[in-house]
Amino acid sequence: MTWIALTDTETQLFSTAGLGADPTAPDLIGCDDDDLLARGTLVLETGLPDTGQAHTLFHYSREGDWPFHLSVQAIPGRGLIFVLNQGGTVIHQTMTLPDTGRIDLLRLSYSWDAPARRAQLALEQHDREQVLIQDIAGPCPLRFGDLHALFRHGPHRFAAPETIFAALSDTVEPVGPLPSMHPETPIATPMGYRPLRSLRRGDTVINARGEVVPVLHRLARTVPARGSFSPLSIRSPYFGLDQDIVVAPSQRLLLSGTEVEYLFGKHSVLALAHHLTRGRAVTPVPWGPLVTYSQLLLPGHEAVLAAGSALESQFIGRLHNKPRLLAASLLSGLERSRLPDHGASGIPVLGAFDARVLAERRAA
């Protein structure tokens, strides 16, 4: 089960064996136009246009005995309209985000499982924990020929400049809290540094306060290396690092010191990695079509020592009180009663401007 297609302004990839698979690997799906993908996930990541009227972000239509239409449209009021018409079976959903400030990127995921007769539409806002989910009954499988056309550049389809990427998986992909460190990141433990990928439930790690805490779970997920998933390198010796590490843009660093206290009046603050890219400390990394991230779930919301720097562990808020989101998340197989209650973060999270000011001062 893997990602099989990816497209952006420069890329058009489609592999029936999976992106990055060995050339001799068997096909995961049929490759005739009329073959059907019974379950999967279509993901579209986009910005919102700064206009006061409806704006098409993505559109593809095909006529014939079994007509097909897919479109995503931005509407005033921070909303998106998703329309999927397969031979007269129509899904028409409007999703609107609450007014919680500026929107940089949105990720829309349509997941379907035709044999199970269920589907869902999820809308996630980059930099926010909130996820909107709408359940859809009785979805149809998608035709290979239409899926292939969606990921080919040309006049047969339209993608607005605001569209960052689109991707296709042959399974129902999770939404919600996602891991954000490279699996090889060295994590401090009582026995010394160990690669993140080697840690398991029951192991112990050292948090930013020097305390030994148990690992509840290690999460991992492979995603398209584009948009809000594009790998970033945090370079040594910035932020106390002993070596360069790779993280997702959503990874938050715990920053402290005299500059933090002087600028923000706090002992420590959290800053997203992608807000720190103005200077030399955090830079984009060339990558292939897919990247795997991992992360540790700890009893409390806290930072771990990663290569000498304090990086936030997996924050899940009060996911145990949100059964619908839990069922759609990477933690769906865990019992609600065994999940920690992280509550609201007690550490301020810097906005983009403040984070960049701090990054520029530290990189000077």
Side-chain angles (χ1 to χ4, degrees):
M1 303 298 180
T2 187
W3 298 92
I4 57 179
L6 174 66
T7 184
D8 58 20
T9 55
E10 300 177 354
T11 305
Q12 48 179 357
L13 301 174
F14 200 109
S15 171
T16 53
L19 298 180
D22 186 278
T24 62
D27 290 339
L28 299 172
I29 63 173
C31 54
D32 292 334
D33 280 353
D34 289 329
D35 285 337
L36 299 176
L37 189 60
R39 59 181 59 84
T41 301
L42 274 170
V43 175
L44 180 72
E45 189 164 279
T46 181
L48 282 184
D50 187 17
T51 65
Q53 57 187 5
H55 184 86
T56 298
L57 298 170
F58 197 86
H59 178 273
Y60 167 73
S61 288
R62 174 187 55 79
E63 301 300 328
D65 295 336
W66 186 260
F68 180 91
H69 168 92
L70 184 145
S71 65
V72 178
Q73 190 176 52
I75 56 174
R78 307 163 63 89
L80 292 181
I81 297 177
F82 174 85
V83 179
L84 176 61
N85 185 342
Q86 297 172 264
T89 300
V90 181
I91 297 171
H92 188 289
Q93 296 284 348
T94 299
M95 306 188 79
T96 304
L97 289 166
D99 190 0
T100 54
R102 176 180 171 179
I103 296 177
D104 290 325
L105 290 178
L106 291 176
R107 187 163 56 250
L108 184 70
S109 301
Y110 171 65
S111 300
W112 72 97
D113 187 337
R117 304 295 292 163
R118 64 173 180 265
Q120 72 176 25
L121 196 63
L123 184 61
E124 301 173 87
Q125 182 177 350
H126 189 45
D127 302 350
R128 300 284 193 277
E129 281 85 28
Q130 184 178 20
V131 182
L132 300 180
I133 298 177
Q134 291 186 357
D135 293 321
I136 299 167
C140 297
L142 269 67
R143 181 176 168 271
F144 175 86
D146 293 320
L147 291 170
H148 198 199
L150 285 175
F151 290 88
R152 293 201 313 268
H153 298 168
H156 63 284
R157 60 146 229 204
F158 170 78
E162 292 85 3
T163 301
I164 308 300
F165 77 85
L168 171 68
S169 169
D170 69 341
T171 191
V172 174
E173 294 288 339
V175 296
L178 294 176
S180 49
M181 293 188 202
H182 192 274
E184 296 299 325
T185 304
I187 303 296
T189 77
M191 303 299 292
Y193 278 100
R194 290 176 54 185
L196 175 54
R197 59 173 170 77
S198 72
L199 296 170
R200 300 290 186 270
R201 176 180 174 85
D203 290 338
T204 56
V205 297
I206 299 175
N207 67 16
R209 297 186 299 275
E211 301 166 339
V212 177
V213 294
V215 174
L216 299 183
H217 298 283
R218 180 178 59 83
L219 308 177
R221 188 187 175 197
T222 299
V223 291
R226 299 291 189 275
S228 62
F229 298 132
S230 298
L232 298 175
S233 173
I234 308 180
R235 300 170 57 200
S236 164
Y238 300 110
F239 307 114
L241 285 171
D242 301 322
Q243 66 180 69
D244 296 357
I245 61 173
V246 173
V247 300
S250 59
Q251 176 62 52
R252 296 195 287 205
L253 287 73
L254 181 67
L255 306 177
S256 57
T258 55
E259 287 174 317
V260 171
E261 294 186 12
Y262 173 74
L263 289 172
F264 310 113
K266 301 291 183 180
H267 177 266
S268 58
V269 294
L270 289 168
L272 284 107
H274 85 99
H275 286 164
L276 303 173
T277 55
R278 283 283 181 89
R280 294 170 291 179
V282 182
T283 58
V285 184
W287 213 269
L290 302 178
V291 59
T292 297
Y293 291 118
S294 194
Q295 187 56 281
L296 299 177
L297 181 64
L298 305 180
H301 172 226
E302 52 195 322
V304 294
L305 291 179
S309 185
L311 270 65
E312 183 186 40
S313 61
Q314 188 72 62
F315 176 66
I316 64 171
R318 292 194 166 115
L319 189 63
H320 64 96
N321 286 336
K322 303 173 182 177
R324 182 64 192 89
L325 178 55
L326 174 59
S329 77
L330 198 57
L331 295 161
S332 61
L334 305 180
E335 294 181 26
R336 290 172 57 190
S337 61
R338 293 179 177 268
L339 291 177
D341 185 343
H342 286 169
S345 173
I347 304 172
V349 180
L350 297 184
F353 176 78
D354 288 337
R356 285 165 183 158
V357 168
L358 181 59
E360 288 169 359
R361 288 176 67 96
R362 294 204 168 184

